[in-house]
Amino acid sequence: MNHGTDNTLWLNATLFDGLNTREQRMAMAVTDGQIAWLKPMAELNTGDRSGFECIDVEGALVTPGLVDCHTHLVFGGNRAGEFEARLEGKSYEEIARAGGGIISTVKATRAAGEEALFEAAKPRLQALMADGATTVEIKSGYGLSLESELKMLRVARRLGRELRVRVVTTLLGAHALPPEYKDDADGYIRLVCEEMIPAAAAEGLADAVDVFCESIAFSVEQCERVYAAAKAHGLAIKGHTEQLSNLGGSAAAARAGAASVDHIEYLDEAGVKALAEAGTVATLLPGAFYMLRETQLPPIELLRRHGVPMALATDANPGSSPIFSLKLMLNMACTLFRLTPLEALRGVTAHGARALGLQQQVGRLAPGLQADFCLWDTQNPAELAYSVGLPRLTQRIFAGVKA
Ligand code: NIG
Ligand code: FE
């Protein structure tokens, strides 16, 4: 079988287009790395095939390439020891307050050279790609100094250049307070706003800016200052909000025009309404919920009722979610959060792309979008969420080419 070069006509697909599953078997034409057109097989004329190399997928499920819209893939060291401490009864917050947690990864990341960070991150990204990711967001946030944050972002950009995947980068300078700014959170926020954001923007290293709005991190007011600086430099906004408590950080992010707010276990109805009004995506991170054995569920029913798009991501990081599989997130979103398989699939395709502001480029199978898609060894989309380990990804196409 040919493996799909440019000008390829994929025939007989069971097609999940990023929002819905088509009722009829579909043909999808790919030209110059983009989706040219889609047609039900029953409406295909002989002329439609001319100039195309045809590949019959015999009913196999075709989905958009998966979008992981929230990861922290670049980091030094690991936190297996912290995992053991949590098993012995310490909480995530206790560990953070005692200088472990995020700060222990900061030490290891600052000490690591760019090459070492790249080599460590590569297999993590490859793991995501191995089960279908074609777009992956990568945050900084373990450097917490101008130099180390930029170093992380350069590694993320290099991953995007060297691997067959689209990488979107986010500056998360406001992730935690570094030890040298102890007792001077406002001073650190000034560093983020006045030095990190301008430098990352000037060097083209960041597409967006993120914050951790939480009692163990930064206040709503501090996060608002970061949003203002991000906007002044033309960068998109995201927030880690309402993960461990309800501070109103999601509503503040939405008012500032955030593309997404992420975690949101403690989000209330006023917050959900703020997201609906602003068109902000709610990103669900069941991996962190699972690893931290959280019991507060995100307000799924309210998000549905107010029509807020729900994205779904791995949050892959060394502490709260050392998990490098989006497919596993499909299962966890259904078992833990009671999403339907269709909602979960939209979360890693169309809505994941929206959380990155990329809805006109990726996340759906529609004319004019980039030809990033996956072929699966099943004809039933629900099986992607139902089963863990199977069905197999049989082909991953990136920009029209088998990757
Ligand atoms: O998304 N919530 C804050 N930040 C990360 C965790 C980072 C870490 O524990 O290293 C998260 O869960
Ligand atoms: Fe995160």
Side-chain angles (χ1 to χ4, degrees):
M1 176 156 118
N2 173 293
H3 290 301
T5 51
D6 265 351
N7 285 333
T8 308
L9 185 57
W10 299 78
L11 301 169
N12 279 309
T14 301
L15 199 102
F16 168 72
D17 65 12
L19 290 170
N20 291 298
T21 305
R22 301 298 181 94
E23 278 169 17
Q24 293 166 286
R25 290 276 176 89
M26 299 293 292
M28 180 169 75
V30 171
T31 308
D32 296 331
Q34 291 201 335
I35 299 167
W37 48 264
L38 296 159
K39 256 191 185 187
M41 287 303 292
E43 293 170 22
L44 206 63
N45 310 310
T46 14
D48 289 334
R49 297 178 189 239
S50 88
F52 283 107
E53 188 148 358
C54 291
I55 299 178
D56 188 344
V57 303
E58 298 171 356
L61 175 65
V62 176
T63 70
L66 306 188
V67 178
D68 194 346
C69 67
H70 182 143
T71 85
H72 310 244
L73 279 184
V74 175
F75 57 84
N78 75 57
R79 307 233 293 273
E82 172 185 321
F83 177 62
E84 291 180 296
R86 286 207 309 272
L87 289 170
E88 283 160 14
K90 291 236 168 36
S91 76
Y92 183 71
E93 280 150 298
E94 269 177 280
I95 292 167
R97 288 188 200 284
I102 293 173
I103 292 302
S104 70
T105 300
V106 170
K107 287 186 191 128
T109 305
R110 285 179 174 181
E114 226 164 289
E115 188 64 28
L117 286 175
F118 176 82
E119 287 304 327
K122 196 168 150 184
R124 300 175 192 136
L125 183 53
Q126 285 169 328
L128 291 174
M129 293 162 68
D131 69 1
T134 50
T135 297
V136 176
E137 184 254 20
I138 301 179
K139 301 178 196 295
S140 64
Y142 295 120
L144 310 187
S145 68
L146 175 65
E147 179 202 346
S148 302
E149 285 292 301
L150 298 182
K151 171 176 76 175
M152 291 185 71
L153 292 171
R154 278 195 298 271
V155 170
R157 282 279 192 245
R158 182 177 162 203
L159 288 163
R161 280 196 306 274
E162 296 194 15
L163 279 74
R164 300 283 298 155
V165 62
R166 180 193 285 251
V167 169
V168 176
T169 60
T170 301
L171 172 70
L172 176 55
H175 193 196
L177 197 59
E180 59 280 13
Y181 278 87
K182 191 172 172 296
D183 304 322
D184 187 18
D186 284 329
Y188 181 66
I189 290 295
R190 271 198 301 280
L191 175 73
V192 172
C193 295
E194 293 170 16
E195 295 190 37
M196 288 184 193
I197 291 175
E203 293 182 35
L205 286 173
D207 302 307
V209 172
D210 198 345
V211 299
F212 187 15
C213 185
E214 193 57 67
S215 60
I216 56 169
F218 299 99
S219 70
V220 172
E221 193 272 321
Q222 288 165 336
C223 293
E224 285 175 327
R225 276 186 262 158
V226 175
Y227 298 147
K231 280 203 278 192
H233 287 86
L235 301 176
I237 295 168
K238 307 173 80 66
H240 286 70
T241 54
E242 269 74 60
Q243 178 185 9
L244 306 169
S245 61
N246 183 6
L247 298 185
S250 304
R255 281 195 302 272
S260 76
V261 291
D262 304 37
H263 287 287
I264 60 162
E265 278 85 343
Y266 287 82
L267 186 65
D268 60 17
E269 184 158 15
V272 173
K273 283 187 183 158
L275 302 188
E277 271 162 33
T280 299
V281 173
T283 299
L284 305 173
L285 305 172
F289 177 94
Y290 163 81
M291 283 298 293
L292 301 180
R293 303 182 75 229
E294 179 59 68
T295 51
Q296 173 75 35
L297 284 161
I300 303 297
E301 202 42 58
L302 287 172
L303 293 166
R304 284 184 182 128
R305 197 174 319 141
H306 292 281
V308 177
M310 291 181 275
L312 177 64
T314 58
D315 194 17
N317 75 68
S320 64
S321 187
I323 304 182
F324 303 89
S325 168
L326 253 186
K327 241 192 109 271
L328 180 56
M329 293 306 120
L330 292 172
N331 180 270
M332 284 189 180
C334 297
T335 52
L336 299 172
F337 296 169
R338 314 311 286 168
L339 256 62
T340 66
L342 192 64
E343 286 173 325
L345 275 168
R346 289 173 182 150
V348 296
T349 54
H351 295 166
R354 179 171 291 274
L356 298 175
L358 291 178
Q359 60 273 24
Q360 299 308 331
Q361 279 106 72
V362 298
R364 285 175 301 126
L365 299 177
L369 271 71
Q370 179 161 312
D372 294 351
F373 55 96
C374 295
L375 269 71
W376 303 92
D377 189 17
T378 179
Q379 301 197 356
N380 179 3
E383 276 193 36
L384 291 182
Y386 153 73
S387 189
V388 177
L390 286 175
R392 280 184 311 116
L393 174 70
T394 51
Q395 289 200 51
R396 176 182 171 280
I397 309 293
F398 180 72
V401 178
K402 186 171 164 39

